[in-house]
Amino acid sequence: MIKLNNSLLIIGMKHCGKSTVGKMLADKFDVRFEDLDSVAETIYAQQNNQRLSSREIYKQGRNVFQHYEHKASEKIVMLTRNGAKIITAAGGGICENDPAINILESSMVFVYIEEKPDVLYKRIIKGGIPPFLSSENPYDTFVSLYQTRTAIYDKISKIKISANGLPAEDICHNIIARLEEDN
């Protein structure tokens, strides 16, 4: 069994494979996996007596979603306080939520999965145009968002893995190799 020395936060653009890779890593390290958006949805449901998806919460306003993302970050960090290791996948916009980032970086190593913009865009629009993209010109909005967010991911991450369309299993192996190298 491989030993995980630090809790990990998997970051990157929407549909880069964060949750899939995070679950694989959690299985390989035999640790708990949490999806930050799911935790935010649960907190929202508890406080509002209504279950909404992250996308539906975001439609209420970016600040509303970021509030619940911040609360979810606090909950995740509490899980690591007793020394427990956890792997968490964050939504693509976490990098623009400074309060959440500040809390998470206190107890987690950030792993950025980088993917090519055209690959991501095709994956994203398969499910329809999400609320964070302009319906008039979604591709240009996406490219602008990609450039902004990737610059932030580069700045805040300790480990950067280029996905280059690789299968999730290969990305997982590349992350493990980097973790071993960095130890």
Side-chain angles (χ1 to χ4, degrees):
M1 181 67 57
I2 304 167
K3 185 177 184 312
L4 184 64
N5 294 327
N6 298 293
S7 292
L8 304 177
L9 180 73
I10 311 297
I11 60 174
M13 293 293 290
K14 183 177 182 65
H15 286 296
C16 71
K18 298 178 301 282
S19 294
T20 302
V21 170
K23 289 174 188 172
M24 286 180 175
L25 287 168
D27 285 345
K28 291 186 183 302
F29 287 113
D30 194 27
V31 298
R32 182 175 178 167
F33 172 80
E34 289 287 344
D35 181 278
L36 195 67
D37 285 352
S38 295
V39 175
E41 291 167 4
T42 299
I43 293 169
Y44 181 91
Q46 291 167 345
Q47 293 183 358
N48 296 281
N49 296 319
Q50 179 185 22
R51 186 114 182 121
L52 296 179
S53 70
S54 293
R55 190 177 273 207
E56 292 167 325
I57 297 168
Y58 194 91
K59 285 180 182 177
Q60 295 180 23
R62 179 179 172 183
N63 60 331
V64 172
F65 180 76
Q66 286 186 333
H67 167 77
Y68 288 101
E69 189 175 53
H70 178 253
K71 292 292 181 196
S73 300
E74 290 175 331
K75 185 170 183 175
I76 293 295
V77 168
M78 284 178 31
L79 295 172
T80 67
R81 289 284 156 98
N82 65 354
K85 304 300 183 247
I86 187 170
I87 295 177
T88 304
I94 189 77
C95 64
E96 296 174 328
N97 188 340
D98 289 338
I101 288 295
N102 291 337
I103 288 169
L104 292 164
E105 71 184 355
S106 68
S107 65
M108 306 186 97
V109 171
F110 291 8
V111 178
Y112 166 32
I113 299 174
E114 177 189 47
E115 183 56 272
K116 295 174 186 169
D118 289 342
V119 171
L120 293 171
Y121 183 74
K122 287 176 188 173
R123 292 175 184 169
I124 288 169
I125 61 165
K126 275 186 181 179
I129 298 171
F132 62 87
L133 294 180
S134 160
S135 56
E136 292 83 40
N137 199 341
Y139 182 76
D140 287 346
T141 306
F142 171 75
V143 170
S144 176
L145 185 66
Y146 180 88
Q147 292 169 342
T148 299
R149 288 185 177 175
T150 55
I152 299 169
Y153 298 142
D154 277 334
K155 183 179 176 184
I156 65 174
S157 61
K158 181 174 185 199
I159 296 173
K160 178 179 174 180
I161 300 295
S162 295
N164 294 323
L166 292 171
E169 186 68 35
D170 291 350
I171 297 167
C172 184
H173 286 303
N174 290 343
I175 291 170
I176 293 170
R178 273 296 302 278
L179 290 170
E180 290 173 345
E181 186 180 296
D182 288 353
N183 274 345

